[in-house]
Amino acid sequence: MIKKYVFGNPIETGAVTADIEACSGAVEFFNEIEADGGIIFNYLMNDSDIVYGLGEANRGMNKRGGFYRSFCTDEPNQTEEKQSFYGVHNFIVITGMISIGFFVDCPGEVSFDIGYTSSNMLNIRLKSKDFVLYVIEGKNAYDTVKQFREIIGRSYIAPRWAFGYQQSRWSYMNEDEIREVVKKHRENNIPLDAVYMDIDYMERYKDFTVSDEAFPDFPKFVGEMRECGIRLVPIIDAGVKIEDNYDIYEEGKEKGYFCKRSDGSDFVASVWPGKTHFPDFLNTEARKWFGSKYKSLTDCGIEGFWNDMNEPAMFFTEEGEEKAKQLISSFDFDTNRQDKFFELGGTIMGLANRSEDYRNFYHNIDGKKVRHDKVHNIYGANMTRAAGEAFEEISPDKRILMFSRASYIGSHRYGGIWTGDNQSWWSHLLMNIKMMPSLNMCGFLYSGADIGGFGCNTTRDLLMRWLGFGIFTPLMRNHSAMGTRRQECYSLGDTEDFANIISIRYSLIPYLYSEYMKACLNNDMLFKPLSFEYPTDGFASEIEDQLILGESLMLAPIYEQNAHGRYVYLPEDMLLVVFRSSAVRRYQVLKKGIHYIKAEINEVPVFIRRGKLLPLCRTAQCTDELDTSMFELIAFTDDEIEYVMYEDDGISKDYDNKNNYIPFQIKRVDGVLGAASPKTVVKLSLFGQND
Ligand code: MIG
């Protein structure tokens, strides 16, 4: 049951698509207090309540004990105390004796104190009095999430090629460097479907330009790559460079499509291109205009994009610069004490993403002037929307890959997300694991983290283990920052291990794509906490480093350096499959309970749930070459079972065709269990509980 409460005069965020009638009266379950010009909602939790949700947020799956500030933030240093990341997803579920979902639909700042100040007190603070609140009563946490997902509309659907392995790095400077990346993958039999183009491909970091020098004949190069089974995915940044005769700048200025200062002049922020203006994505016309620009690249054969810097991130503004200059000129190195010195440093560093700057510019929302900080959290989301809506026109029949850095619930209908600038830290691999279900709860299904870590120097074993999890995430992209140690799989020695681990991904694509598509089409989750599938198992609810993946699998990734295995909790009997490559595996039937399982650095453990089966195809060097006419089945059952696989051409949009559902059955014929399917089953590996 869902109740909607409208407070004041909210700005439409587009998060909820369902038409729900607002109810009057006090908000159920929550205590409401007015404070500091805003409102605080309180909820007294039971000791054993778990709080799920918040999408792209810090800490564990269970959000208890933390303080979270919803304010889209460029945060490349994601340490444990950080309160804000790139995306804002204000949905939580409190579950225990009862399950209550709470969605705060407010485009301005909101904070969640979930037992941080006082262990059982949940405290949600809004700076504004204009917002919409949804309170959802469900049978359990999973049911509450599903009800929520129903009202926010269907998640964005990525093309199937985007399930291939993708290589990125900030600093591929020209087409030869990209050719080299592709060549090295192919030479080493490391499958690959896409190479990313970071800001270096542009002409002076200008959106929708391609450097002539670096890419003399871009459409031809796109075609050449396509011939090798590779798609190029260029980045688009939020800020538009101020440069005379640059068409995007000239048009935007002339039509008034940029965000403005209070005096009506165009707001200026310095980012990669130097001084830029921010397109006003909240202005319908400006959004359409910016979206239409993607066509210049799709016309060159581009089929996917990533939107960056759209929190929006700023290095500094003219206002900030002024302040810093004053401070520097009055600073006396001879007489000033340490604290003054650190104040100076802090001021310089603090020029980036300054809260004052976010209060210094305005949007034009249907003719209404709205100060940015009041709608900050939907800025990036509307950049994704600009792209998504434009793709409907530019490419009505074919899917285009789109994912963004900043996001808000609602933008999950237009694109996926990646989780921004993590580091090559083992703790960030664990954070990636814990975050996946939370993202799914909020509608973000096509998502993933920078595999191997973006910042810092990776290590071979970290990349191997990260791939051991990354082979299961829809977005499987190795990305690293300029200046860090090279992180392509062929750069770290013994490339065969990398080729093998990525081959596992390719043989899993039919299953992963099937489960992803079903999750999209049924407003369901792809990654679930164990407790969602085993709600009465008290132990399962405390496990945060194991996940349910789709219908058949449980994952228990290894995320510690030098580990040769790990402890795993099985909520029921399961079949352990340890993959060494797509073709080399070992099996073991394990009883419910705790086990230590061994998995060397080049091995990936996967668990098949009881009564379930996993279809695998033969691996390939890219998705174009995947042969999905033949399958091998691994089944864990003593009885007849069925797995229905979703399959389509991966690019058109005929999702509702019933021919897209293909059964795989384990059937008893003359007393013996065997495989039956319209597909060719080349091999059945069947395990029963007594094996
Ligand atoms: O200020 O385009 O998160 O993926 O490589 C850094 C360069 C800007 C941040 C993105 C990262 C990308 C980088 N960008």
Side-chain angles (χ1 to χ4, degrees):
M1 202 192 27
I2 304 185
K3 286 204 169 149
K4 172 180 176 181
Y5 303 89
V6 178
F7 288 76
N9 242 327
I11 288 164
E12 179 55 63
T13 65
V16 171
T17 49
D19 209 355
I20 302 168
E21 210 175 311
C23 53
S24 48
V27 175
E28 257 181 283
F29 303 106
F30 290 83
N31 259 327
E32 177 186 327
I33 311 163
E34 299 208 5
D36 305 334
I39 292 182
I40 304 175
F41 293 96
N42 291 316
Y43 181 97
L44 189 63
M45 300 181 285
N46 282 319
D47 288 341
S48 59
D49 281 351
I50 292 177
V51 180
Y52 289 114
L54 291 186
E56 187 185 331
N58 210 346
R59 298 172 176 269
M61 269 187 222
N62 185 350
K63 294 297 173 197
R64 279 190 78 150
F67 186 95
Y68 311 86
R69 181 173 161 261
S70 290
F71 195 78
C72 293
T73 301
D74 177 8
E75 180 50 82
N77 194 22
Q78 304 182 354
T79 44
E80 213 174 293
E81 82 285 6
K82 292 294 156 64
Q83 298 172 345
S84 311
F85 289 165
Y86 300 89
V88 160
H89 313 127
N90 293 331
F91 171 63
I92 57 168
V93 182
I94 309 147
T95 185
M97 298 290 281
I98 55 169
S99 290
I100 304 294
F102 198 81
F103 173 48
V104 191
D105 192 8
C106 173
E109 184 175 333
V110 180
S111 65
F112 293 79
D113 178 337
I114 309 182
Y116 169 79
T117 302
S118 162
S119 62
N120 282 351
M121 191 49 95
L122 166 65
N123 192 291
I124 301 163
R125 182 184 287 259
L126 289 104
K127 284 205 165 165
S128 149
K129 283 184 176 170
D130 303 306
F131 56 89
V132 186
L133 198 71
Y134 297 85
V135 178
I136 307 170
E137 243 186 296
K139 289 197 286 278
N140 50 43
Y142 191 15
D143 174 55
T144 310
V145 168
K146 283 202 264 194
Q147 288 188 50
F148 175 62
R149 292 282 306 284
E150 286 294 326
I151 66 167
I152 58 172
R154 193 180 76 194
S155 297
Y156 160 78
I157 295 180
R160 195 186 69 150
W161 63 263
F163 280 73
Y165 178 57
Q166 316 189 48
Q167 179 59 49
S168 183
R169 179 173 173 87
W170 174 13
S171 69
Y172 294 147
M173 302 308 287
N174 53 45
E175 52 177 48
D176 279 338
E177 287 194 31
I178 293 177
R179 274 195 194 101
E180 177 80 359
V181 170
V182 174
K183 191 170 138 236
K184 290 251 176 74
H185 280 85
R186 294 283 180 255
E187 273 171 9
N188 290 290
N189 291 315
I190 302 165
L192 185 68
D193 262 83
V195 179
Y196 279 68
M197 299 170 68
D198 208 316
I199 47 175
D200 318 290
Y201 79 88
M202 298 181 219
E203 190 187 286
R204 293 189 292 286
Y205 304 132
K206 288 185 300 189
D207 277 341
F208 308 111
T209 66
V210 177
S211 156
D212 264 348
E213 221 175 289
F215 300 89
D217 189 341
F218 188 57
K220 189 165 156 235
F221 181 59
V222 175
E224 177 193 323
M225 287 294 108
R226 203 53 205 83
E227 293 278 294
C228 319
I230 301 293
R231 264 96 173 175
L232 296 174
V233 185
I235 196 170
I236 302 294
D237 277 10
V240 168
K241 183 172 176 64
I242 300 177
E243 186 184 279
D244 286 341
N245 302 321
Y246 167 37
D247 54 346
I248 314 265
Y249 160 72
E250 297 283 2
E251 277 173 40
K253 186 174 70 166
E254 193 205 308
K255 302 217 163 106
Y257 287 160
F258 296 127
C259 293
K260 301 209 179 331
R261 298 191 180 98
S262 59
D263 66 3
S265 61
D266 289 334
F267 177 75
V268 179
S270 286
V271 210
W272 289 108
K275 290 190 176 175
T276 68
H277 290 319
F278 289 141
D280 188 356
F281 299 116
L282 304 187
N283 169 338
T284 311
E285 257 183 57
R287 188 167 62 237
K288 275 207 173 127
W289 164 76
F290 192 87
S292 71
K293 300 297 174 193
Y294 285 83
K295 188 164 183 298
S296 64
L297 289 162
T298 56
D299 282 348
C300 299
I302 292 297
E303 296 169 67
F305 301 89
W306 49 312
N307 283 348
D308 191 19
M309 304 296 276
N310 50 3
E311 293 71 30
M314 303 184 227
F315 298 165
F316 55 87
T317 58
E318 288 166 352
E319 292 81 357
E321 195 182 318
E322 227 14 76
K323 243 184 127 177
K325 278 182 184 158
Q326 277 168 19
L327 204 75
I328 294 169
S329 64
S330 66
F331 186 81
D332 179 350
F333 281 89
D334 294 328
T335 59
N336 275 318
R337 298 188 320 270
Q338 288 285 17
D339 52 347
K340 284 281 178 195
F341 171 71
F342 287 115
E343 189 192 319
L344 177 72
T347 307
I348 305 291
M349 293 313 289
L351 290 183
N353 309 319
R354 260 183 357 139
S355 31
E356 292 98 300
D357 289 327
Y358 289 122
R359 290 194 292 267
N360 271 342
F361 64 97
Y362 294 80
H363 298 272
N364 170 358
I365 306 179
D366 302 325
K368 232 175 96 187
K369 187 171 160 186
V370 181
R371 205 173 74 187
H372 175 77
D373 62 316
K374 299 189 188 300
V375 288
H376 176 75
N377 292 334
I378 57 172
Y379 183 75
N382 275 282
M383 182 182 181
T384 309
R385 183 175 165 196
E389 286 175 343
F391 297 156
E392 287 297 323
E393 298 192 357
I394 299 168
S395 174
D397 305 318
K398 277 182 155 187
R399 297 174 230 174
I400 303 242
L401 175 62
M402 159 53 45
F403 60 89
S404 168
R405 195 169 74 172
S407 60
Y408 184 82
I409 291 172
S411 65
H412 71 288
R413 298 193 301 275
Y414 303 101
I417 53 177
W418 96 99
T419 56
D421 298 350
N422 58 9
Q423 307 268 350
S424 298
W425 295 341
W426 291 88
S427 60
H428 278 180
L429 164 55
L430 180 58
M431 186 159 81
N432 181 196
I433 297 166
K434 293 181 177 187
M435 205 188 274
M436 292 311 290
S438 312
L439 294 176
N440 283 193
M441 289 174 205
C442 299
F444 293 91
L445 294 181
Y446 189 81
S447 55
D450 287 349
I451 293 173
F454 174 75
C456 302
N457 294 328
T458 202
T459 59
R460 183 177 190 277
D461 53 355
L462 176 60
L463 180 59
M464 280 296 285
R465 288 302 192 196
W466 210 319
L467 286 166
F469 177 61
I471 60 171
F472 301 102
T473 61
L475 168 62
M476 183 196 183
R477 185 180 75 145
N478 177 337
H479 181 48
S480 54
M482 180 168 58
T484 59
R485 182 183 188 182
R486 293 301 292 224
Q487 197 166 293
E488 297 84 1
C489 289
Y490 53 77
S491 310
L492 291 151
D494 288 330
T495 55
E496 212 182 312
D497 284 344
F498 290 103
N500 283 338
I501 205 164
I502 296 172
S503 76
I504 305 168
R505 162 65 164 219
Y506 278 73
S507 60
L508 281 166
I509 284 178
Y511 172 77
L512 292 175
Y513 180 72
S514 162
E515 293 306 299
Y516 163 79
M517 289 300 292
K518 284 190 267 179
C520 287
L521 298 173
N522 302 319
N523 299 324
D524 206 334
M525 296 163 71
L526 178 63
F527 288 101
K528 281 170 266 186
L530 262 49
S531 65
F532 279 35
E533 286 294 323
Y534 305 94
T536 55
D537 183 328
F539 206 71
S541 64
E542 300 216 348
I543 307 258
E544 297 215 348
D545 60 355
Q546 300 175 207
L547 304 174
I548 300 294
L549 171 55
E551 181 179 318
S552 306
L553 302 184
M554 182 183 80
L555 306 180
I558 293 165
Y559 52 86
E560 297 209 69
Q561 191 158 30
N562 300 317
H564 295 270
R566 59 163 286 175
Y567 283 97
V568 176
Y569 173 65
L570 304 191
E572 62 180 335
D573 297 359
M574 288 187 186
L575 171 65
L576 166 66
V577 187
V578 181
F579 286 82
R580 209 166 246 262
S581 72
S582 60
V584 182
R585 310 163 213 132
R586 57 189 161 84
Y587 303 93
Q588 193 183 357
V589 171
L590 294 172
K591 294 278 169 221
K592 172 183 161 83
I594 294 169
H595 298 266
Y596 185 83
I597 55 142
K598 289 204 130 198
E600 296 301 334
I601 192 77
N602 57 351
E603 293 183 320
V604 180
V606 176
F607 297 84
I608 298 182
R609 298 170 66 197
R610 214 174 123 183
K612 305 291 179 192
L613 70 79
L614 175 67
L616 291 170
C617 69
R618 192 179 300 149
T619 187
Q621 289 300 299
C622 59
T623 52
D624 287 345
E625 287 171 11
L626 269 187
D627 176 355
T628 60
S629 64
M630 289 186 304
F631 282 86
E632 181 177 345
L633 305 183
I634 307 173
F636 180 40
T637 184
D638 290 301
D639 295 306
E640 296 193 334
I641 53 167
E642 181 180 59
Y643 173 74
V644 180
M645 181 174 79
Y646 179 96
E647 182 186 50
D648 59 19
D649 66 4
I651 195 81
S652 65
K653 299 179 179 175
D654 185 18
Y655 307 125
D656 298 326
N657 194 327
K658 61 181 192 317
N659 297 325
N660 294 350
Y661 293 87
I662 294 143
F664 286 106
Q665 290 166 329
I666 305 298
K667 268 185 139 171
R668 208 178 286 281
V669 178
D670 298 332
V672 183
L673 289 175
S677 172
K679 295 276 187 186
T680 307
V681 177
V682 288
K683 187 176 170 195
L684 169 64
S685 302
L686 181 66
F687 295 83
Q689 264 172 287
N690 300 319
D691 284 308

